[in-house]
């Protein structure tokens, strides 16, 4: 019987269990308080941002980031054609109009394509899979053209641009902490930023827009987007292992590179942290066959995101010319990429990938 190899799974240690248990035994109120504050401080300091605001998930983080920046109905927000659906849905939820932009061969937003559309008010740049693409150039472009830049860094905590960490690009960055992210707390998200006014807007939106903390007098409309210290206890414990996880992810890619031909395995820069190991097939049909073949060997894989422009409900969305992203998105397969994988697992998966391509 072949061992089941998952595409990804959370990496929870005894230490994590102990930290959460200790928190539960501490008599605290479980809801958001000091442990969340500590997690916020640690992450903000790691990515070099002034503020960090924990929220229930990455989707809400993008949504609140847009609202707090004043993006609403009548505003146009550029989004790359290859990303998880949350990125564009948060724009739609905020009432703004998404404009889909092509990607370059880093699979991140193409600056050339962005430049081809006019009247953009905000851009969401996604360091997809931990790759940073033209992030810095797009940051310069947005600054020069007075465009708000939001970095959807859901995949990229631990990855870096040339002189700055993912989580620090543009006006606002967001993170996600679902079980397949580099660190997890089950669900969870974070907004990272430097601007005092936008920070205050975020806090108002997140905490019922109270006149002052704990008062029941409200300056205006606001909701409840708090998390719990119970989650943050796990988040903090995981954050303390971030460097270890970054190291494992980089070694994982190096190990795969020893066995799988570079024409199939997409590369990373040294300062980038691979989130998932992505394999390029010739086309959609070959990808489907490879997925089936690996599945017969108990190896779980996942198709990379279909392009946004292929989703039926987004057919009416404004778009740039999408020549690169539409085709490439159908040929990428994500191999097992969990930090729990052993070198034997990687060798086994790689051998099966090679068996498929060589026959
Ligand atoms: C690029 C990207 N943005 C946003 C999100 C949404 O994050 P969450 O699932 O925490 O809402 C995800 C989730 O996987 C994502 O991959």
């Amino acid at each position: 019987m072949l061992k089941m190899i998952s595409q990804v799974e959370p990496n929870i240690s005894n230490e994590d269990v102990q930290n959460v248990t200790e928190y539960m035994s501490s008599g605290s109120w479980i809801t958001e308080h000091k442990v969340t504050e500590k997690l916020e401080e640690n992450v903000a300091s790691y990515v070099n941002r002034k503020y960090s605001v924990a929220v229930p998930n990455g989707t809400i983080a993008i949504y609140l980031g847009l609202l707090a920046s004043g993006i609403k109905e009548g505003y146009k927000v550029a989004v790359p054609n290859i990303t998880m659906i949350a990125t564009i849905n948060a724009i739609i939820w905020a009432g703004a109009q998404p404009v889909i932009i092509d990607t370059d061969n880093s699979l991140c937003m193409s600056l050339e394509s962005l430049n081809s559309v006019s009247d953009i008010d905000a851009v969401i740049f996604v360091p997809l899979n931990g790759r940073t693409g033209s992030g810095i150039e797009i940051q310069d472009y947005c600054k020069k053209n007075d465009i708000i830049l939001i970095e959807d860094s859901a995949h990229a905590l631990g990855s870096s641009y040339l002189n700055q960490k993912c989580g620090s690009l543009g006006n606002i960055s967001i993170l996600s902490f679902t079980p397949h992210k580099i660190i997890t707390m089950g669900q969870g998200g974070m907004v990272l930023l430097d601007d005092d006014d936008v920070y205050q807007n975020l806090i108002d939106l997140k905490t019922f827009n109270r006149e002052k903390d704990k008062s029941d007098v409200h300056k205006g409309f606001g909701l409840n987007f708090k998390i719990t210290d119970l989650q943050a206890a796990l988040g903090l414990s995981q954050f303390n292992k971030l460097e270890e996880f970054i190291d494992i992810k980089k070694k994982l890619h190096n190990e795969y590179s020893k066995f799988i031909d570079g024409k199939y395995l997409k590369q990373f820069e040294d300062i980038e942290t691979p989130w998932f190991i992505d394999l390029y097939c010739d086309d959609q049909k070959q990808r489907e066959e490879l997925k089936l073949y690996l599945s017969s060997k108990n190896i779980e894989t996942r198709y990379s995101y279909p392009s946004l422009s292929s989703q039926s409900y987004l057919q009416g969305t404004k778009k740039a010319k999408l020549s690169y992203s539409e085709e490439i998105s159908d040929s990428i397969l994500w191999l097992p990429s969990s930090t729990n994988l052993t070198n034997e697992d990687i060798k086994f998966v790689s051998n099966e990938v090679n068996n498929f391509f060589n026959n």
Side-chain angles (χ1 to χ4, degrees), residues 62 66 76-92 97-103 107-110 113-114 117 120 122-126 150 152 308-309 314 317-320 322 325:
I62 305 171
L66 289 163
K76 283 193 195 148
V77 183
V79 58
N81 198 22
I82 307 181
T83 183
M84 198 253 171
I85 206 69
T87 319
I88 191 164
N89 280 356
I91 301 170
I92 297 169
Q97 184 190 357
V99 181
I100 302 175
I101 307 292
D102 206 10
T103 67
L107 304 178
C108 300
M109 181 181 282
S110 146
S113 175
L114 176 63
V117 295
I120 292 293
V123 167
I124 303 188
F125 180 80
V126 184
I150 295 182
D152 174 353
L308 294 177
S309 55
L314 294 174
T317 307
K318 191 171 156 53
K319 309 172 180 68
L322 303 172
S325 51

mmCIF file of all heavy atoms in Angstrom, residues 62 66 76-92 97-103 107-110 113-114 117 120 122-126 150 152 308-309 314 317-320 322 325:
data_model
loop_
_atom_site.group_PDB
_atom_site.id
_atom_site.type_symbol
_atom_site.label_atom_id
_atom_site.label_comp_id
_atom_site.label_asym_id
_atom_site.label_seq_id
_atom_site.Cartn_x
_atom_site.Cartn_y
_atom_site.Cartn_z
ATOM 1 N N ILE A 62 -8.532 42.220 2.724
ATOM 2 C CA ILE A 62 -8.507 43.012 1.479
ATOM 3 C C ILE A 62 -9.701 43.972 1.471
ATOM 4 O O ILE A 62 -9.559 45.161 1.156
ATOM 5 C CB ILE A 62 -8.567 42.113 0.220
ATOM 6 C CG1 ILE A 62 -7.449 41.071 0.233
ATOM 7 C CG2 ILE A 62 -8.461 42.965 -1.060
ATOM 8 C CD1 ILE A 62 -7.579 40.010 -0.866
ATOM 9 N N LEU A 66 -9.450 48.040 1.388
ATOM 10 C CA LEU A 66 -10.034 48.883 0.329
ATOM 11 C C LEU A 66 -10.929 49.960 0.939
ATOM 12 O O LEU A 66 -10.786 51.151 0.642
ATOM 13 C CB LEU A 66 -10.853 48.020 -0.636
ATOM 14 C CG LEU A 66 -10.068 47.087 -1.570
ATOM 15 C CD1 LEU A 66 -10.971 46.017 -2.164
ATOM 16 C CD2 LEU A 66 -9.379 47.883 -2.678
ATOM 17 N N LYS A 76 -12.003 52.341 -9.748
ATOM 18 C CA LYS A 76 -11.531 51.198 -10.546
ATOM 19 C C LYS A 76 -10.286 50.591 -9.890
ATOM 20 O O LYS A 76 -9.331 51.318 -9.585
ATOM 21 C CB LYS A 76 -11.145 51.674 -11.943
ATOM 22 C CG LYS A 76 -12.347 51.917 -12.828
ATOM 23 C CD LYS A 76 -11.841 52.054 -14.255
ATOM 24 C CE LYS A 76 -12.912 52.648 -15.133
ATOM 25 N NZ LYS A 76 -12.379 53.447 -16.201
ATOM 26 N N VAL A 77 -10.319 49.281 -9.705
ATOM 27 C CA VAL A 77 -9.206 48.611 -9.033
ATOM 28 C C VAL A 77 -8.626 47.517 -9.945
ATOM 29 O O VAL A 77 -9.338 46.589 -10.354
ATOM 30 C CB VAL A 77 -9.663 47.977 -7.694
ATOM 31 C CG1 VAL A 77 -8.477 47.357 -6.972
ATOM 32 C CG2 VAL A 77 -10.356 49.005 -6.813
ATOM 33 N N ALA A 78 -7.332 47.622 -10.252
ATOM 34 C CA ALA A 78 -6.664 46.639 -11.112
ATOM 35 C C ALA A 78 -6.311 45.393 -10.318
ATOM 36 O O ALA A 78 -5.846 45.477 -9.181
ATOM 37 C CB ALA A 78 -5.391 47.254 -11.694
ATOM 38 N N VAL A 79 -6.547 44.226 -10.938
ATOM 39 C CA VAL A 79 -6.287 42.951 -10.267
ATOM 40 C C VAL A 79 -5.659 41.999 -11.292
ATOM 41 O O VAL A 79 -6.049 42.005 -12.457
ATOM 42 C CB VAL A 79 -7.625 42.407 -9.674
ATOM 43 C CG1 VAL A 79 -8.700 42.219 -10.734
ATOM 44 C CG2 VAL A 79 -7.448 41.110 -8.915
ATOM 45 N N PRO A 80 -4.664 41.194 -10.888
ATOM 46 C CA PRO A 80 -4.042 40.289 -11.875
ATOM 47 C C PRO A 80 -4.974 39.137 -12.245
ATOM 48 O O PRO A 80 -5.767 38.688 -11.415
ATOM 49 C CB PRO A 80 -2.807 39.761 -11.131
ATOM 50 C CG PRO A 80 -3.134 39.897 -9.689
ATOM 51 C CD PRO A 80 -4.039 41.082 -9.562
ATOM 52 N N ASN A 81 -4.822 38.652 -13.476
ATOM 53 C CA ASN A 81 -5.735 37.609 -13.971
ATOM 54 C C ASN A 81 -5.502 36.258 -13.297
ATOM 55 O O ASN A 81 -6.380 35.410 -13.317
ATOM 56 C CB ASN A 81 -5.553 37.471 -15.491
ATOM 57 C CG ASN A 81 -6.721 36.763 -16.149
ATOM 58 O OD1 ASN A 81 -7.821 36.729 -15.601
ATOM 59 N ND2 ASN A 81 -6.487 36.184 -17.305
ATOM 60 N N ILE A 82 -4.307 36.059 -12.716
ATOM 61 C CA ILE A 82 -4.099 34.794 -11.988
ATOM 62 C C ILE A 82 -3.977 35.115 -10.499
ATOM 63 O O ILE A 82 -2.977 35.675 -10.044
ATOM 64 C CB ILE A 82 -2.842 34.041 -12.463
ATOM 65 C CG1 ILE A 82 -2.882 33.846 -13.990
ATOM 66 C CG2 ILE A 82 -2.742 32.684 -11.762
ATOM 67 C CD1 ILE A 82 -1.702 33.083 -14.557
ATOM 68 N N THR A 83 -4.998 34.770 -9.765
ATOM 69 C CA THR A 83 -4.993 34.904 -8.304
ATOM 70 C C THR A 83 -6.150 34.093 -7.759
ATOM 71 O O THR A 83 -7.013 33.628 -8.505
ATOM 72 C CB THR A 83 -5.102 36.380 -7.860
ATOM 73 O OG1 THR A 83 -5.019 36.435 -6.426
ATOM 74 C CG2 THR A 83 -6.411 37.032 -8.286
ATOM 75 N N MET A 84 -6.161 33.923 -6.435
ATOM 76 C CA MET A 84 -7.296 33.246 -5.813
ATOM 77 C C MET A 84 -8.507 34.198 -5.899
ATOM 78 O O MET A 84 -8.347 35.420 -5.891
ATOM 79 C CB MET A 84 -6.914 32.949 -4.360
ATOM 80 C CG MET A 84 -7.752 31.910 -3.709
ATOM 81 S SD MET A 84 -8.830 32.739 -2.562
ATOM 82 C CE MET A 84 -9.900 31.401 -2.118
ATOM 83 N N ILE A 85 -9.658 33.621 -5.953
ATOM 84 C CA ILE A 85 -10.883 34.387 -6.237
ATOM 85 C C ILE A 85 -11.149 35.500 -5.213
ATOM 86 O O ILE A 85 -11.789 36.514 -5.522
ATOM 87 C CB ILE A 85 -12.098 33.418 -6.355
ATOM 88 C CG1 ILE A 85 -13.192 34.008 -7.218
ATOM 89 C CG2 ILE A 85 -12.622 32.985 -5.006
ATOM 90 C CD1 ILE A 85 -12.832 34.102 -8.667
ATOM 91 N N ALA A 86 -10.616 35.326 -3.977
ATOM 92 C CA ALA A 86 -10.854 36.320 -2.917
ATOM 93 C C ALA A 86 -10.388 37.715 -3.335
ATOM 94 O O ALA A 86 -10.996 38.717 -2.937
ATOM 95 C CB ALA A 86 -10.119 35.908 -1.650
ATOM 96 N N THR A 87 -9.313 37.783 -4.121
ATOM 97 C CA THR A 87 -8.740 39.092 -4.456
ATOM 98 C C THR A 87 -9.769 39.938 -5.208
ATOM 99 O O THR A 87 -10.017 41.090 -4.858
ATOM 100 C CB THR A 87 -7.451 38.934 -5.308
ATOM 101 O OG1 THR A 87 -6.666 37.864 -4.800
ATOM 102 C CG2 THR A 87 -6.633 40.204 -5.316
ATOM 103 N N ILE A 88 -10.383 39.348 -6.233
ATOM 104 C CA ILE A 88 -11.353 40.137 -7.016
ATOM 105 C C ILE A 88 -12.687 40.264 -6.272
ATOM 106 O O ILE A 88 -13.346 41.304 -6.331
ATOM 107 C CB ILE A 88 -11.529 39.559 -8.444
ATOM 108 C CG1 ILE A 88 -12.322 40.542 -9.314
ATOM 109 C CG2 ILE A 88 -12.210 38.194 -8.455
ATOM 110 C CD1 ILE A 88 -12.226 40.277 -10.807
ATOM 111 N N ASN A 89 -13.064 39.231 -5.535
ATOM 112 C CA ASN A 89 -14.361 39.304 -4.842
ATOM 113 C C ASN A 89 -14.370 40.382 -3.764
ATOM 114 O O ASN A 89 -15.406 40.991 -3.485
ATOM 115 C CB ASN A 89 -14.731 37.940 -4.262
ATOM 116 C CG ASN A 89 -15.313 37.022 -5.336
ATOM 117 O OD1 ASN A 89 -15.498 37.440 -6.480
ATOM 118 N ND2 ASN A 89 -15.583 35.784 -4.986
ATOM 119 N N ALA A 90 -13.218 40.627 -3.155
ATOM 120 C CA ALA A 90 -13.143 41.693 -2.141
ATOM 121 C C ALA A 90 -13.386 43.054 -2.801
ATOM 122 O O ALA A 90 -14.016 43.940 -2.204
ATOM 123 C CB ALA A 90 -11.785 41.659 -1.448
ATOM 124 N N ILE A 91 -12.903 43.207 -4.040
ATOM 125 C CA ILE A 91 -13.120 44.472 -4.765
ATOM 126 C C ILE A 91 -14.610 44.647 -5.046
ATOM 127 O O ILE A 91 -15.190 45.719 -4.835
ATOM 128 C CB ILE A 91 -12.328 44.476 -6.106
ATOM 129 C CG1 ILE A 91 -10.828 44.303 -5.859
ATOM 130 C CG2 ILE A 91 -12.606 45.755 -6.901
ATOM 131 C CD1 ILE A 91 -10.008 44.056 -7.134
ATOM 132 N N ILE A 92 -15.223 43.558 -5.508
ATOM 133 C CA ILE A 92 -16.662 43.607 -5.836
ATOM 134 C C ILE A 92 -17.463 43.869 -4.558
ATOM 135 O O ILE A 92 -18.397 44.678 -4.542
ATOM 136 C CB ILE A 92 -17.095 42.283 -6.522
ATOM 137 C CG1 ILE A 92 -16.345 42.112 -7.850
ATOM 138 C CG2 ILE A 92 -18.603 42.238 -6.730
ATOM 139 C CD1 ILE A 92 -16.489 40.734 -8.491
ATOM 140 N N GLN A 97 -15.115 48.737 -9.042
ATOM 141 C CA GLN A 97 -15.118 48.023 -10.321
ATOM 142 C C GLN A 97 -13.740 47.386 -10.567
ATOM 143 O O GLN A 97 -12.738 48.098 -10.695
ATOM 144 C CB GLN A 97 -15.429 49.029 -11.442
ATOM 145 C CG GLN A 97 -15.549 48.361 -12.792
ATOM 146 C CD GLN A 97 -15.614 49.381 -13.923
ATOM 147 O OE1 GLN A 97 -15.632 50.597 -13.728
ATOM 148 N NE2 GLN A 97 -15.625 48.871 -15.146
ATOM 149 N N PRO A 98 -13.660 46.055 -10.626
ATOM 150 C CA PRO A 98 -12.361 45.439 -10.924
ATOM 151 C C PRO A 98 -11.984 45.588 -12.392
ATOM 152 O O PRO A 98 -12.868 45.607 -13.253
ATOM 153 C CB PRO A 98 -12.578 43.960 -10.587
ATOM 154 C CG PRO A 98 -14.043 43.741 -10.534
ATOM 155 C CD PRO A 98 -14.733 45.065 -10.443
ATOM 156 N N VAL A 99 -10.692 45.700 -12.654
ATOM 157 C CA VAL A 99 -10.190 45.692 -14.030
ATOM 158 C C VAL A 99 -9.102 44.613 -14.076
ATOM 159 O O VAL A 99 -8.106 44.704 -13.342
ATOM 160 C CB VAL A 99 -9.595 47.071 -14.424
ATOM 161 C CG1 VAL A 99 -9.098 47.037 -15.865
ATOM 162 C CG2 VAL A 99 -10.608 48.178 -14.213
ATOM 163 N N ILE A 100 -9.313 43.588 -14.896
ATOM 164 C CA ILE A 100 -8.393 42.441 -14.897
ATOM 165 C C ILE A 100 -7.187 42.729 -15.799
ATOM 166 O O ILE A 100 -7.336 43.126 -16.952
ATOM 167 C CB ILE A 100 -9.128 41.156 -15.349
ATOM 168 C CG1 ILE A 100 -10.316 40.877 -14.420
ATOM 169 C CG2 ILE A 100 -8.175 39.972 -15.362
ATOM 170 C CD1 ILE A 100 -11.181 39.692 -14.839
ATOM 171 N N ILE A 101 -5.994 42.494 -15.243
ATOM 172 C CA ILE A 101 -4.728 42.835 -15.916
ATOM 173 C C ILE A 101 -3.973 41.534 -16.204
ATOM 174 O O ILE A 101 -4.022 40.592 -15.404
ATOM 175 C CB ILE A 101 -3.871 43.743 -14.982
ATOM 176 C CG1 ILE A 101 -4.672 44.967 -14.488
ATOM 177 C CG2 ILE A 101 -2.561 44.150 -15.629
ATOM 178 C CD1 ILE A 101 -5.030 45.966 -15.533
ATOM 179 N N ASP A 102 -3.213 41.512 -17.287
ATOM 180 C CA ASP A 102 -2.439 40.320 -17.653
ATOM 181 C C ASP A 102 -1.268 40.122 -16.672
ATOM 182 O O ASP A 102 -0.876 41.060 -15.963
ATOM 183 C CB ASP A 102 -1.895 40.493 -19.083
ATOM 184 C CG ASP A 102 -1.644 39.147 -19.765
ATOM 185 O OD1 ASP A 102 -2.063 38.105 -19.210
ATOM 186 O OD2 ASP A 102 -1.048 39.142 -20.861
ATOM 187 N N THR A 103 -0.727 38.911 -16.653
ATOM 188 C CA THR A 103 0.474 38.666 -15.847
ATOM 189 C C THR A 103 1.677 38.550 -16.788
ATOM 190 O O THR A 103 1.511 38.334 -17.989
ATOM 191 C CB THR A 103 0.362 37.348 -15.044
ATOM 192 O OG1 THR A 103 0.361 36.260 -15.955
ATOM 193 C CG2 THR A 103 -0.899 37.301 -14.211
ATOM 194 N N LEU A 107 4.170 35.193 -13.316
ATOM 195 C CA LEU A 107 2.758 34.922 -12.986
ATOM 196 C C LEU A 107 2.144 36.030 -12.118
ATOM 197 O O LEU A 107 1.011 35.928 -11.667
ATOM 198 C CB LEU A 107 2.556 33.552 -12.312
ATOM 199 C CG LEU A 107 3.081 32.349 -13.088
ATOM 200 C CD1 LEU A 107 2.862 31.071 -12.301
ATOM 201 C CD2 LEU A 107 2.409 32.244 -14.452
ATOM 202 N N CYS A 108 2.919 37.086 -11.856
ATOM 203 C CA CYS A 108 2.400 38.258 -11.134
ATOM 204 C C CYS A 108 1.961 39.305 -12.167
ATOM 205 O O CYS A 108 2.270 39.190 -13.359
ATOM 206 C CB CYS A 108 3.475 38.876 -10.261
ATOM 207 S SG CYS A 108 4.129 37.761 -9.013
ATOM 208 N N MET A 109 1.297 40.357 -11.691
ATOM 209 C CA MET A 109 0.782 41.395 -12.591
ATOM 210 C C MET A 109 1.886 41.966 -13.492
ATOM 211 O O MET A 109 2.991 42.260 -13.015
ATOM 212 C CB MET A 109 0.158 42.525 -11.753
ATOM 213 C CG MET A 109 -0.417 43.643 -12.574
ATOM 214 S SD MET A 109 -1.100 44.950 -11.538
ATOM 215 C CE MET A 109 -2.654 44.253 -11.048
ATOM 216 N N SER A 110 1.544 42.150 -14.766
ATOM 217 C CA SER A 110 2.493 42.728 -15.718
ATOM 218 C C SER A 110 2.365 44.253 -15.692
ATOM 219 O O SER A 110 1.263 44.792 -15.828
ATOM 220 C CB SER A 110 2.180 42.180 -17.111
ATOM 221 O OG SER A 110 2.438 43.146 -18.110
ATOM 222 N N SER A 113 1.041 45.596 -19.015
ATOM 223 C CA SER A 113 -0.407 45.451 -19.150
ATOM 224 C C SER A 113 -1.128 46.489 -18.291
ATOM 225 O O SER A 113 -2.117 47.098 -18.717
ATOM 226 C CB SER A 113 -0.808 44.025 -18.749
ATOM 227 O OG SER A 113 -2.185 43.879 -18.756
ATOM 228 N N LEU A 114 -0.602 46.729 -17.078
ATOM 229 C CA LEU A 114 -1.205 47.736 -16.192
ATOM 230 C C LEU A 114 -1.179 49.111 -16.862
ATOM 231 O O LEU A 114 -2.143 49.873 -16.822
ATOM 232 C CB LEU A 114 -0.451 47.762 -14.853
ATOM 233 C CG LEU A 114 -0.879 48.816 -13.841
ATOM 234 C CD1 LEU A 114 -2.332 48.589 -13.389
ATOM 235 C CD2 LEU A 114 0.038 48.816 -12.615
ATOM 236 N N VAL A 117 -3.981 50.280 -19.367
ATOM 237 C CA VAL A 117 -5.349 50.681 -18.986
ATOM 238 C C VAL A 117 -5.313 52.059 -18.316
ATOM 239 O O VAL A 117 -4.325 52.421 -17.679
ATOM 240 C CB VAL A 117 -6.029 49.651 -18.048
ATOM 241 C CG1 VAL A 117 -6.257 48.327 -18.747
ATOM 242 C CG2 VAL A 117 -5.255 49.466 -16.776
ATOM 243 N N ILE A 120 -7.094 54.171 -13.479
ATOM 244 C CA ILE A 120 -7.104 53.215 -12.364
ATOM 245 C C ILE A 120 -6.915 53.992 -11.047
ATOM 246 O O ILE A 120 -6.063 54.861 -10.948
ATOM 247 C CB ILE A 120 -5.961 52.176 -12.554
ATOM 248 C CG1 ILE A 120 -6.249 51.271 -13.749
ATOM 249 C CG2 ILE A 120 -5.709 51.361 -11.307
ATOM 250 C CD1 ILE A 120 -7.434 50.356 -13.590
ATOM 251 N N ALA A 122 -6.810 52.227 -7.898
ATOM 252 C CA ALA A 122 -6.029 51.373 -6.984
ATOM 253 C C ALA A 122 -5.588 50.124 -7.727
ATOM 254 O O ALA A 122 -6.218 49.702 -8.695
ATOM 255 C CB ALA A 122 -6.861 50.992 -5.767
ATOM 256 N N VAL A 123 -4.484 49.538 -7.233
ATOM 257 C CA VAL A 123 -3.948 48.305 -7.813
ATOM 258 C C VAL A 123 -3.810 47.292 -6.683
ATOM 259 O O VAL A 123 -3.363 47.646 -5.590
ATOM 260 C CB VAL A 123 -2.541 48.563 -8.420
ATOM 261 C CG1 VAL A 123 -1.831 47.259 -8.751
ATOM 262 C CG2 VAL A 123 -2.636 49.442 -9.654
ATOM 263 N N ILE A 124 -4.213 46.044 -6.944
ATOM 264 C CA ILE A 124 -3.856 44.978 -5.996
ATOM 265 C C ILE A 124 -2.790 44.121 -6.660
ATOM 266 O O ILE A 124 -3.039 43.465 -7.679
ATOM 267 C CB ILE A 124 -5.067 44.109 -5.593
ATOM 268 C CG1 ILE A 124 -6.172 44.986 -4.995
ATOM 269 C CG2 ILE A 124 -4.613 43.057 -4.574
ATOM 270 C CD1 ILE A 124 -7.335 44.213 -4.396
ATOM 271 N N PHE A 125 -1.586 44.177 -6.104
ATOM 272 C CA PHE A 125 -0.480 43.350 -6.610
ATOM 273 C C PHE A 125 -0.422 42.081 -5.761
ATOM 274 O O PHE A 125 -0.463 42.156 -4.531
ATOM 275 C CB PHE A 125 0.848 44.117 -6.523
ATOM 276 C CG PHE A 125 2.012 43.315 -7.033
ATOM 277 C CD1 PHE A 125 2.258 43.214 -8.393
ATOM 278 C CD2 PHE A 125 2.837 42.617 -6.144
ATOM 279 C CE1 PHE A 125 3.319 42.449 -8.876
ATOM 280 C CE2 PHE A 125 3.891 41.854 -6.619
ATOM 281 C CZ PHE A 125 4.133 41.771 -7.988
ATOM 282 N N VAL A 126 -0.317 40.925 -6.411
ATOM 283 C CA VAL A 126 -0.275 39.649 -5.681
ATOM 284 C C VAL A 126 1.080 38.967 -5.919
ATOM 285 O O VAL A 126 1.348 38.519 -7.035
ATOM 286 C CB VAL A 126 -1.402 38.696 -6.164
ATOM 287 C CG1 VAL A 126 -1.412 37.406 -5.334
ATOM 288 C CG2 VAL A 126 -2.766 39.376 -6.119
ATOM 289 N N ILE A 150 -2.287 48.117 -3.044
ATOM 290 C CA ILE A 150 -2.522 47.117 -1.998
ATOM 291 C C ILE A 150 -1.796 45.842 -2.406
ATOM 292 O O ILE A 150 -1.899 45.396 -3.554
ATOM 293 C CB ILE A 150 -4.040 46.857 -1.829
ATOM 294 C CG1 ILE A 150 -4.704 48.147 -1.316
ATOM 295 C CG2 ILE A 150 -4.297 45.694 -0.869
ATOM 296 C CD1 ILE A 150 -6.181 48.053 -1.053
ATOM 297 N N ASP A 152 -1.570 41.984 -1.942
ATOM 298 C CA ASP A 152 -2.221 40.785 -1.412
ATOM 299 C C ASP A 152 -1.137 39.728 -1.233
ATOM 300 O O ASP A 152 -0.807 38.971 -2.139
ATOM 301 C CB ASP A 152 -3.304 40.311 -2.391
ATOM 302 C CG ASP A 152 -3.926 38.989 -1.975
ATOM 303 O OD1 ASP A 152 -3.447 38.375 -1.010
ATOM 304 O OD2 ASP A 152 -4.893 38.565 -2.647
ATOM 305 N N LEU A 308 -8.975 34.479 -13.814
ATOM 306 C CA LEU A 308 -10.237 35.145 -13.428
ATOM 307 C C LEU A 308 -11.131 35.291 -14.651
ATOM 308 O O LEU A 308 -12.348 35.132 -14.577
ATOM 309 C CB LEU A 308 -9.950 36.535 -12.827
ATOM 310 C CG LEU A 308 -9.198 36.559 -11.496
ATOM 311 C CD1 LEU A 308 -8.940 38.014 -11.073
ATOM 312 C CD2 LEU A 308 -9.950 35.817 -10.402
ATOM 313 N N SER A 309 -10.495 35.585 -15.806
ATOM 314 C CA SER A 309 -11.281 35.847 -17.022
ATOM 315 C C SER A 309 -12.013 34.598 -17.509
ATOM 316 O O SER A 309 -12.887 34.696 -18.361
ATOM 317 C CB SER A 309 -10.378 36.394 -18.126
ATOM 318 O OG SER A 309 -9.308 35.502 -18.348
ATOM 319 N N LEU A 314 -17.660 36.357 -14.176
ATOM 320 C CA LEU A 314 -16.837 37.565 -14.361
ATOM 321 C C LEU A 314 -16.748 37.977 -15.840
ATOM 322 O O LEU A 314 -15.911 38.816 -16.201
ATOM 323 C CB LEU A 314 -15.430 37.323 -13.798
ATOM 324 C CG LEU A 314 -15.361 37.127 -12.274
ATOM 325 C CD1 LEU A 314 -13.951 36.738 -11.838
ATOM 326 C CD2 LEU A 314 -15.790 38.411 -11.540
ATOM 327 N N THR A 317 -16.637 41.651 -16.828
ATOM 328 C CA THR A 317 -15.642 42.505 -16.151
ATOM 329 C C THR A 317 -14.704 43.157 -17.165
ATOM 330 O O THR A 317 -14.299 42.529 -18.147
ATOM 331 C CB THR A 317 -14.819 41.633 -15.170
ATOM 332 O OG1 THR A 317 -15.732 40.948 -14.330
ATOM 333 C CG2 THR A 317 -13.875 42.457 -14.335
ATOM 334 N N LYS A 318 -14.342 44.418 -16.871
ATOM 335 C CA LYS A 318 -13.415 45.141 -17.751
ATOM 336 C C LYS A 318 -12.041 44.458 -17.711
ATOM 337 O O LYS A 318 -11.587 44.055 -16.633
ATOM 338 C CB LYS A 318 -13.326 46.589 -17.253
ATOM 339 C CG LYS A 318 -12.635 47.545 -18.187
ATOM 340 C CD LYS A 318 -12.826 48.969 -17.659
ATOM 341 C CE LYS A 318 -11.787 49.945 -18.103
ATOM 342 N NZ LYS A 318 -11.439 50.150 -19.422
ATOM 343 N N LYS A 319 -11.386 44.355 -18.875
ATOM 344 C CA LYS A 319 -10.105 43.628 -18.934
ATOM 345 C C LYS A 319 -9.097 44.326 -19.835
ATOM 346 O O LYS A 319 -9.494 44.931 -20.831
ATOM 347 C CB LYS A 319 -10.273 42.236 -19.570
ATOM 348 C CG LYS A 319 -11.352 41.380 -19.001
ATOM 349 C CD LYS A 319 -11.511 40.117 -19.858
ATOM 350 C CE LYS A 319 -12.599 39.221 -19.326
ATOM 351 N NZ LYS A 319 -13.943 39.749 -19.439
ATOM 352 N N ALA A 320 -7.825 44.162 -19.503
ATOM 353 C CA ALA A 320 -6.765 44.496 -20.463
ATOM 354 C C ALA A 320 -6.659 43.307 -21.421
ATOM 355 O O ALA A 320 -7.361 42.308 -21.256
ATOM 356 C CB ALA A 320 -5.453 44.696 -19.714
ATOM 357 N N LEU A 322 -5.320 39.912 -22.448
ATOM 358 C CA LEU A 322 -4.826 38.904 -21.494
ATOM 359 C C LEU A 322 -4.103 37.761 -22.211
ATOM 360 O O LEU A 322 -4.387 36.592 -21.972
ATOM 361 C CB LEU A 322 -6.008 38.362 -20.683
ATOM 362 C CG LEU A 322 -6.819 39.426 -19.923
ATOM 363 C CD1 LEU A 322 -8.072 38.818 -19.316
ATOM 364 C CD2 LEU A 322 -5.968 40.083 -18.836
ATOM 365 N N SER A 325 -1.642 35.280 -19.569
ATOM 366 C CA SER A 325 -2.210 34.594 -18.395
ATOM 367 C C SER A 325 -3.286 33.580 -18.733
ATOM 368 O O SER A 325 -3.404 32.548 -18.068
ATOM 369 C CB SER A 325 -2.757 35.627 -17.414
ATOM 370 O OG SER A 325 -3.623 36.524 -18.081
#
